[in-house]
């Protein structure tokens, strides 16, 4: 069976969103004003999410929100409230680093799709299969892996894998 790769592009502002869509991206990932590692990029205000997701979905493009940092105990309630808003506007998935947040999402927002962030540093099938049991539906592999290492992992897990390609 041949699987068509998904072309996923980062997009920190509307100009980047429009460029990614115009150039054939199947999906884009972006951060919001909090809870992401993309602080050097422009990020979207949560109030922009309904318009942003409508723009993407009417063009057949998926939108993934990055939650790719560790969440401290005192931040968990705020993070979960924001994730509730993310779910309500139809974001296609959240990209998460923190395993505690993955667990909380599964308990409180079980219909929200979770992708394991590259910041999870997943480099072998045992760990990938573990996060699958926690509810992660796709894993973004650690950037340090070689093509042959990715191939070996692919052969030993049923979890959909994502890799960074730098051009």
């Amino acid at each position: 069976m041949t699987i068509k790769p998904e072309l996923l592009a980062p997009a920190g502002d509307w100009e980047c969103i429009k460029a990614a869509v115009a150039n054939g991206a199947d999906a884009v990932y972006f951060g919001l004003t909090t809870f992401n590692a993309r602080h050097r990029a422009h990020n979207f205000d949560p109030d922009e999410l309904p318009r942003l997701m409508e723009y993407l979905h009417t063009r057949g493009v998926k939108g993934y929100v990055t939650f790719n940092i560790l969440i401290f105990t005192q931040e968990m309630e705020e993070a979960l409230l924001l994730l509730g808003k993310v779910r309500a506007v139809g974001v296609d998935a959240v990209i998460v680093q923190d395993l505690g947040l993955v667990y909380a999402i599964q308990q409180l927002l079980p219909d929200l799709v979770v992708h394991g962030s590259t910041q999870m540093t997943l480099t072998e099938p045992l760990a990938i299969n573990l996060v699958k049991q926690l509810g992660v539906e796709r894993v973004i592999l650690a950037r340090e892996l070689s093509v042959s290492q990715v191939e070996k992992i692919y052969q030993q897990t049923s979890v959909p894998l994502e890799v960074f390609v730098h051009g």
Side-chain angles (χ1 to χ4, degrees):
M1 175 173 83
T2 302
I3 300 171
K4 179 185 178 274
E6 177 183 72
L7 178 58
L8 174 61
D13 59 29
W14 278 100
E15 183 179 342
C16 293
I17 291 282
K18 291 176 182 177
V21 170
N23 287 286
D26 300 304
V28 294
Y29 68 94
F30 52 89
L32 301 176
T33 51
T34 57
F35 300 116
N36 78 84
R38 297 178 50 78
H39 289 288
R40 291 188 196 144
H42 291 98
N43 291 300
F44 290 93
D45 187 285
D47 293 337
E48 293 180 89
L49 272 176
R51 184 172 143 234
L52 175 55
M53 293 311 300
E54 179 182 1
Y55 178 85
L56 293 172
H57 286 166
T58 59
R59 288 156 180 82
V61 177
K62 293 179 180 179
Y64 305 143
V65 173
T66 58
F67 263 74
N68 54 348
I69 62 168
L70 298 174
I71 307 296
F72 293 99
T73 302
Q74 66 272 18
E75 299 172 323
M76 189 62 77
E77 184 177 346
E78 180 185 352
L80 290 167
L81 287 171
L82 182 54
L83 285 167
K85 293 176 184 178
V86 163
R87 180 190 64 179
V89 299
V91 165
D92 296 286
V94 289
I95 301 171
V96 177
Q97 174 185 5
D98 190 287
L99 290 176
L101 186 60
V102 171
Y103 179 79
I105 291 168
Q106 293 310 311
Q107 298 304 304
L108 302 171
L109 304 164
D111 57 333
L112 185 58
V113 175
V114 176
H115 294 178
S117 171
T118 191
Q119 281 83 9
M120 280 187 176
T121 317
L122 297 168
T123 59
E124 52 84 31
L126 288 173
I128 292 166
N129 292 327
L130 172 67
V131 298
K132 178 184 180 183
Q133 292 174 9
L134 297 175
V136 173
E137 295 185 27
R138 179 192 297 182
V139 166
I140 306 163
L141 293 174
R143 297 179 192 198
E144 299 82 3
L145 295 172
S146 68
V147 173
S148 63
Q149 290 170 316
V150 170
E151 177 64 28
K152 287 179 186 175
I153 292 168
Y154 174 78
Q155 292 171 358
Q156 297 177 44
T157 184
S158 63
V159 178
L161 303 175
E162 182 178 315
V163 294
F164 277 84
V165 177
H166 303 277

